[in-house]
Amino acid sequence: MSQIPESFAAIVVDRPEGRYQAEFRDLTVAELPDQGDVLVRVQYSTINYKDALAVTGKGRIARTFPIVPGIDLAGEVVESSVTEFKPGDQVLVTGCEIGEVHWGGFSQYARMNSKWLVPIPQGLDARSAMGIGTAGFTAMLAVMALEHHGIDKRGEVVVTGAAGGVGSIALALLAKAGFEQILASTGRPEEEPYLRNLGATGIIARSELDQPANPLESQRWSGAVDVVGGQTLSKLISQIQCGGAIAVCGLAGGTDLHTSVFPIILRGVSVLGINSVYIPHTLRLQAWERIARDLPIDQLESMIQMEPFERVPDLSEQVLAGKVRGRIVVDMA
């Protein structure tokens, strides 16, 4: 266990005189807000879509100021006032409003509420846990929701935004779960070898789904994992087979949804909302244990792009521009 330094680096978002700014600052442990009972040395974090919005100021993610953004972190407990965790324990946090309401993971030290902490499951370490992060956790929840709904694993399922973090891990988890026909929807055809390596059995161009939908179209998909939203989600709803379902977990393509009630009542189509922030802790633990068991480490490694902490602002712009494949893991050292 390392000694706590006098100061450490963090990204702090604030609004002085109403002007949004995000900057690197040196902080001390005494400056960390009293938001929890465990002090964590953050070894790794990651850049999710929410994080990119928070760092660039292009989305209303931060709801208190000043705040440290970053909705994910993994590292080592250095101080604890609860019996559940002790110094040296390896832990992770995803969601739980860190980086939005509570200070988050873009800091080399973070004070966390013990109720948010998940022990890093056997088979993973802090680096691989952040290779998964909120994106992989969300993908696991989506796959579990489709399974719980009883989706026919022999039929076609589609994953939108397949080259991104959620999409990449969803492909691997669906394949591991036994789904036989997994289509990857992407606007980057050059990523086909990468997507097939993760488990995709076919590729569909983003443009085929990103267009206006009729109320009822030919039935095609038994299920879907959608991270795009907007017009793409409308199209999917009109094409889902009778009794099928869509796990909805993203809005990269927009927040508006123009659809018809016809597929829902005439075909029994279900729209399953996936919330990775506010969920029971027991389900959080269950999902992480299954990820550790089902996600092949070699496939996870193929998704990971390692980057230093100082590159977070530049990389956030790339994430919003859709130029990043898979998962960015931030080395906080």
Side-chain angles (χ1 to χ4, degrees), residues 126-242:
R127 178 183 179 277
S128 57
M130 287 298 92
I132 297 162
T134 285
F137 179 64
T138 301
M140 185 76 262
L141 293 176
V143 173
M144 292 168 67
L146 292 178
E147 289 181 326
H148 182 74
H149 188 78
I151 295 299
D152 182 4
K153 293 184 177 181
R154 297 167 298 178
E156 281 190 321
V157 297
V158 63
V159 176
T160 64
V166 177
S168 294
I169 297 179
L171 290 174
L173 291 173
L174 286 166
K176 180 66 175 180
F179 287 83
E180 297 177 6
Q181 300 183 69
I182 309 167
L183 277 292
S185 171
T186 182
R188 292 180 274 174
E190 68 276 10
E191 300 292 359
E192 181 171 350
Y194 165 77
L195 297 171
R196 287 188 180 275
N197 180 61
L198 294 177
T201 59
I203 307 296
I204 178 173
R206 176 195 300 162
S207 58
E208 289 190 41
L209 298 176
D210 186 19
Q211 55 183 290
N214 297 315
L216 287 173
E217 298 193 1
S218 298
Q219 299 181 54
R220 179 171 184 182
W221 315 108
S222 63
V225 175
D226 177 49
V227 304
V228 176
Q231 194 162 256
T232 294
L233 178 55
S234 300
K235 192 75 168 178
L236 288 174
I237 290 173
S238 72
Q239 295 179 342
I240 295 289
Q241 297 174 5
C242 287

Side-chain angles (χ1 to χ4, degrees), residues 2-131:
S2 60
Q3 184 177 1
I4 301 172
E6 290 186 6
S7 65
F8 52 87
I11 295 176
V12 179
V13 169
D14 207 347
R15 287 193 307 187
E17 301 178 352
R19 180 175 55 85
Y20 192 98
Q21 68 177 30
E23 62 181 6
F24 282 96
R25 291 187 194 171
D26 286 335
L27 300 178
T28 66
V29 169
E31 292 178 277
L32 295 175
D34 185 16
Q35 63 184 27
D37 42 22
V38 177
L39 181 66
V40 178
R41 179 173 68 90
V42 182
Q43 296 169 313
Y44 297 96
S45 185
T46 184
I47 307 176
N48 298 284
Y49 195 79
K50 275 186 178 181
D51 301 321
L53 290 172
V55 170
T56 61
K58 295 179 180 179
R60 295 181 180 180
I61 300 301
R63 285 174 276 161
T64 59
F65 297 91
I67 192 171
V68 170
I71 65 173
D72 293 346
L73 65 85
E76 175 190 36
V77 173
V78 293
E79 290 181 358
S80 173
S81 60
V82 296
T83 58
E84 293 88 347
F85 297 96
K86 64 183 185 301
D89 286 350
Q90 292 286 301
V91 296
L92 66 90
V93 184
T94 61
C96 300
E97 293 189 318
I98 70 168
E100 300 179 66
V101 175
H102 314 294
W103 283 31
F106 289 161
S107 174
Q108 292 176 320
Y109 284 80
R111 186 172 284 118
M112 294 283 110
N113 188 315
S114 57
K115 295 180 180 178
W116 306 337
L117 299 181
V118 172
I120 294 180
Q122 185 175 0
L124 300 177
D125 57 18
R127 178 183 179 277
S128 57
M130 287 298 92

